[in-house]
Amino acid sequence: MGRAVEIDPNYAKAWAAISNIQGRAYWRENNSSVRLASMREALARAEKADPNDYEVLDAGVGLGAVTRDRAKVAHYQQKIIELFPNRAEAYLVRAINATQERRWADALAAYAKARLLDPFNVDVLSSQADLLRSLRHYAETEAIDRILVRLNPEDNDAALNMANTPFLRTGSTRELKALLAGLPPEDRPQQDPFVHYTRLEVMIALGDADGMIRLWHTSGGDALFRDYTERQARMLVAAAYLSKQDFASARPLLEKNRDSALTELAGDPAAPRTLNDLGLALAMLGELDAGRAQLARAREILQQSPPDRGNVDRFYSTICLAWVGEKAEAVAGLTEILRSPYMAKLEVNVYRLRYSLLTLPLRGDPAFEAMLNDPANNAPHF
């Protein structure tokens, strides 16, 4: 794309593509300010060249998502609907808007219309599968997963989703293990980081402590945890060590998390996620009373938020309760989360909870096992 804009500096689609590439790099590089600046600059060049091009508008949606600017997202989405009313992408925008507002029936109807206009639009299919998976419509999700893999057999994310859906549906680990076995050997130099992401996500899903620790070591303590913050990544590896009773190896990771959270709280003392991180780090270090106090502060702040906000933090805060010995409260909170449509997009699932290293303190607890075995807790949200 860089070569394309050298040849034609007014090539709007190329600038939009560069903006999207910078956006993906922004996530991979832990919210890099340099990447964000490049993303903004590329979008500005694209808009100057052609502000009404579809790819340019879609890149604007991407920038709004990265910066969590809902007004910006809404602005670009509305322009797509107005300028491209008969394109599948316009109905995709409508479906996304309806999903954000939890109008499930409207969202599914919009996806159906989009697929009539363009049956093999990968963006439409991927987004529809994500919604169906979060609503626990697993059979329909699996059908779309198969289409996406056929359309792009080299797409690691598509392969991961196709292996993950049966796991969410029935707890089957066969597909995830087969996917892991089919990846290139770990010691082979990888040019494509998505292979690494895939391997790591499978290991996290299966609670493979040995594999996670091995990847952490081979990466020099810099494993690419795509969907996790640096503190969450260290916390997951620390949990892997704790599952093997290796407190000595977990301690430096937890102390780094503790110190990082304390530094952030000095500037923003009411950040629930940071309070959760601090509480969990303290609890894992054995400082239960101190951890309990931080988690209580986080919950108090979260209780003041609308029920459709801060869902990730609510879930994380609930999980943390188990580490400070409040197991009954943790199970009650997780049961509520499993049945709440507000939590649908988190894809909280009984099988994920069963295998997760974050639920180590709950393993073997009768109430936790009963919760996991209750069919109502994996029933469709809609």
Side-chain angles (χ1 to χ4, degrees), residues 235 238-240 242-243 254 279-289 291-292 295 316-327 330 356-362:
M235 172 268 297
L242 291 178
S243 75
L254 296 171
L280 182 55
L282 291 170
M284 286 180 161
L285 285 166
E287 300 175 34
L288 300 188
D289 290 339
R292 193 175 292 116
L295 296 176
Y316 190 29
S317 185
T318 302
I319 285 283
C320 291
L321 288 173
W323 289 87
V324 294
E326 299 180 11
K327 295 184 180 182
S356 175
L357 293 174
L358 294 184
T359 61
L360 279 174
L362 293 174

Side-chain angles (χ1 to χ4, degrees), residues 230-231 234-235 253-261 281:
E230 289 184 7
R231 279 201 298 267
R234 287 193 293 265
M235 172 268 297
L253 298 173
L254 296 171
E255 289 176 341
K256 192 169 185 177
N257 273 13
R258 177 199 61 198
D259 296 344
S260 169

Side-chain angles (χ1 to χ4, degrees), residues 44 110 119 128 169 176 183 258 292 336 344 351 366:
Q128 184 184 26
R169 185 182 187 183
L176 286 171
L183 294 175
R258 177 199 61 198
R292 193 175 292 116
E336 182 178 349
Y351 300 111

